[in-house]
Each structure stands twice: as structure tokens, then as C-alpha cells.
Amino acid sequence: QVQLVESGGGLVQPGGSLRLSCAASGNIFGIDAMGWYRQAPGQQRELVATKTNGGSPSYADSVKGRFTISRDNAKNTMYLQMNDLKVEDTAVYYCHARQWGISRWGQGTQVTVSS
């Protein structure tokens, strides 16, 4: 199965930007969708952005116009560009892949937006 490792999280001020990376390794075949989810303490895990193979990206309403998902197939890496960050964006962000219909998750990376 594929292994997913997130990086790029950290502390940023409101209005700032951050780019998260998700590196895929191991067996990378059979993946037809990848995306980003996030979970704040005491909250449900929610979808942030997804992209299926051959499809257009989809975004949660709360991040539309601010976040951009992209993939570099040559590097087996997915990115989440996060602009105009808000305090409400504070969460652990998880990389997700659907591999042969099974969900694969990274370990998560903490994003904290605070002044």
C-alpha cells in the first residue's frame, strides 16, 4: 500500500500563507483520488479539498478562493497552497488517498493560525 507523509505545517499569522506537502511512497498504483482533510480538537474531520484522476479540484466552501490543491506526478507529491489563512483554519491537516477503494491516511501535520 501507499505511505503518505505530510509536511509544511506550522504557526502562521492570520492573513499569512502556508504550503503543505504530501509525499507518497511505496506502492503508488491504484490511486484514483487524493485530497486533504482537517480536524480541529473536539471537531469532526472535514474535507478540505479533493481531486480525482482526470477531474477538477473540489473545495469546501470555507476555503474556496483561498486554498489550492495540486499534484506533481513526477515527484509523487500533492500540495495544498493555503492563502489568507484564518484562525478558523487551525487544525491537524491530513493527506488522503483512495487506493483500490480503500482510504489511506498520512499522520497529519499541525497548522496553527494565531496572532
Side-chain angles (χ1 to χ4, degrees):
Q1 66 181 39
V2 65
Q3 286 79 53
L4 305 172
V5 179
E6 303 95 332
S7 62
L11 176 64
V12 64
Q13 294 183 341
S17 296
L18 210 58
R19 188 178 76 161
L20 305 183
S21 298
C22 173
S25 61
N27 182 6
I28 64 172
F29 297 99
I31 298 173
D32 64 356
M34 294 190 70
W36 292 92
Y37 292 71
R38 67 186 182 187
Q39 186 170 23
Q43 302 293 117
Q44 298 288 331
R45 185 173 298 186
E46 64 176 346
L47 187 150
V48 176
T50 61
K51 186 183 184 303
T52 58
N53 290 350
S56 299
S58 297
Y59 300 93
D61 288 340
S62 59
V63 307
K64 284 182 179 178
R66 300 188 297 120
F67 291 9
T68 303
I69 188 173
S70 62
R71 292 163 61 181
D72 187 335
N73 291 330
K75 297 181 179 180
N76 294 322
T77 301
M78 178 176 65
Y79 304 96
L80 183 67
Q81 180 66 48
M82 311 164 70
N83 297 325
D84 191 25
L85 283 162
K86 305 178 183 299
V87 173
E88 307 91 87
D89 296 319
T90 296
V92 176
Y93 283 71
Y94 295 92
C95 179
H96 171 266
R98 185 172 64 197
Q99 185 176 46
W100 293 298
I102 303 299
S103 291
R104 312 297 187 189
W105 297 94
Q107 82 289 346
T109 185
Q110 176 71 49
V111 172
T112 302
V113 184
S114 176
S115 59

